[in-house]
Amino acid sequence: MRAFRMHDWLTEPVLTEVDVPEPGPGQVLVRIGGAGVCHSDLHVFREFEPGRMPWRLPFTLGHENAGWVESVGAGVTGLDPGMPVAVYGPWGCGACDRCLRGVETYCERPRDAPVPLGGAGLGLDGGMADYLLVPHARHVVPLPDGLDPVTAAPLTDAGLTPYHAVRRSWSKLTATATAVIIGVGGLGHLAVQVVKATTAARVVAVDTRPEALELARRLGADVTLRPGDGVAEVVRDETRGRGADVVVDCVGNDETLALAASVARVLGDLTIVGLGGGRLPVSFFAMPFELSVQTTYWGSRPELVEVLALASRGLLHTEVTRFSLDDVAQAYRRLEEGTLTGRAVVTP
């Protein structure tokens, strides 16, 4: 089968031929229908130096995956060949308190996991291939009716990550609240929808690209702004001088973090989702009082079920640009150039 694999650090992955894996006891072989192209992969093969992560090469990229059950190993029940499924990407030990709650992103015994701090496409073979071997059936989630693998694949990260970030701030997203989403890309265009679908709050979307702002308006954003449009002043005007109750930064560089702090409200939440590498200076008067600042990583398996349910009801729409597996390198180039709207999905 074909697979887009990293063979060495700080080098471009290549499409190569490998054997189709056979599922062992408790394992599931998934025929890939869609694999999302994520900006974090660029960090993996452009910036990760030898020794930075406890991962062994080579491995296949692709941590946003959905498809159909091809075959199962001994002991697997409830997953029949041909069943459409999504794959929960982070793979923990399965036995610690966090894993038992379905929060394998925060596994407390990573040395007992299949690979420390990783999962599909992150230290282990992912879904940029014709087939993906999932090491445990608990990571395979049947798709609800009306949801196909191509549109479901990005929901496993680009949908799940902002859903987790927004969900933890639900108590602050009341009918009088305002949420600011910074960056309307693969994650941000879904973050806008998550707020609108699960809360009564108003949404202000911020992006540098006119096409991204147009997408945000189509998906329900109440106000759309470019960073140079006096964002902080507009947000203050829109909120009667109070500021945003919740800010989700899907970029995470120095400029967007400074913007996020400038629009946030006293007692608000600022959640950093993007991996832009920025820093947020903290001092007594540097930000609103009791502003809670947090980073999040992915989301839980139960939350993925909730995200898929929202999408199957038509409450989440994934803006998808499709690429064949033969064109996967082009998809990453387009992502790096910033010429994609929504999420790129590789469809073997």
Side-chain angles (χ1 to χ4, degrees):
M1 70 172 186
R2 300 163 299 165
F4 190 61
R5 291 171 70 77
M6 279 187 63
H7 290 273
D8 205 353
W9 300 110
L10 302 176
T11 62
E12 297 290 320
V14 294
L15 192 62
T16 187
E17 288 286 332
V18 297
D19 293 335
V20 177
E22 291 286 337
Q27 297 180 337
V28 180
L29 183 67
V30 175
R31 178 165 59 90
I32 292 295
V37 177
C38 183
H39 201 277
S40 60
D41 289 339
L42 294 174
H43 294 285
V44 171
F45 62 76
R46 291 282 167 79
E47 301 172 12
F48 282 17
E49 298 178 350
R52 178 170 176 178
M53 297 297 292
W55 300 342
R56 293 184 178 180
L57 295 170
F59 62 85
T60 303
L61 289 173
H63 57 266
E64 293 183 342
N65 305 301
W68 301 269
V69 174
E70 179 72 11
S71 57
V72 300
V76 176
T77 59
L79 295 172
D80 300 321
M83 177 182 291
V85 294
V87 178
Y88 180 63
W91 298 339
C93 72
C96 71
D97 180 68
R98 292 290 182 265
C99 285
L100 291 174
R101 295 170 186 267
V103 192
E104 300 201 30
T105 49
Y106 303 144
C107 175
E108 295 178 311
R109 286 163 37 186
R111 292 185 178 180
D112 296 331
V115 62
L117 306 174
L122 299 169
L124 292 172
D125 287 339
M128 293 289 175
D130 293 302
Y131 296 93
L132 168 63
L133 181 64
V134 183
H136 198 288
R138 72 175 183 274
H139 302 309
V140 179
V141 179
L143 292 183
D145 292 341
L147 198 58
D148 68 90
V150 173
T151 54
L155 295 174
T156 63
D157 179 11
L160 177 57
T161 296
Y163 181 80
H164 174 75
V166 171
R167 194 183 196 280
R168 68 190 308 280
S169 295
W170 272 354
S171 63
K172 297 183 180 180
L173 292 170
T174 64
T176 59
T178 297
V180 172
I181 309 298
I182 301 176
V184 191
L187 277 70
H189 88 285
L190 285 157
V192 169
Q193 297 175 75
V194 169
V195 176
K196 300 299 289 188
T198 64
T199 81
R202 299 179 76 239
V203 173
V204 177
V206 182
D207 201 287
T208 59
R209 300 164 298 155
E211 63 274 16
L213 297 179
E214 173 58 30
L215 176 61
R217 285 189 288 272
R218 286 197 285 111
L219 297 176
D222 299 281
V223 180
T224 58
L225 299 167
R226 293 169 62 95
D229 292 341
V231 174
E233 292 77 10
V234 174
V235 171
R236 298 290 170 188
D237 290 343
E238 292 284 336
T239 59
R240 299 181 181 180
R242 296 174 302 194
D245 301 81
V246 174
V247 184
V248 179
D249 186 351
C250 296
V251 181
N253 62 29
D254 287 338
E255 291 77 14
T256 60
L257 289 174
L259 174 62
S262 74
V263 301
R265 181 183 183 180
V266 169
L267 291 170
D269 281 355
L270 193 172
T271 301
I272 305 167
V273 170
L275 300 178
R279 295 177 180 271
L280 183 63
V282 177
S283 64
F284 195 84
F285 293 111
M287 57 185 62
F289 294 124
E290 296 195 39
L291 175 67
S292 296
V293 180
Q294 51 272 320
T295 58
T296 59
Y297 176 54
W298 230 325
S300 70
R301 189 168 60 252
E303 288 171 333
L304 176 57
V305 174
E306 295 172 5
V307 169
L308 297 174
L310 286 173
S312 72
R313 292 164 52 195
L315 297 175
L316 292 182
H317 164 72
T318 310
E319 189 77 4
V320 167
T321 303
R322 301 189 187 202
F323 292 83
S324 71
L325 187 54
D326 291 327
D327 294 328
V328 61
Q330 179 189 351
Y332 279 105
R333 283 196 299 272
R334 290 275 307 278
L335 177 65
E336 192 168 29
E337 293 166 355
T339 59
L340 290 171
T341 300
R343 202 62 153 179
V345 177
V346 172
T347 57

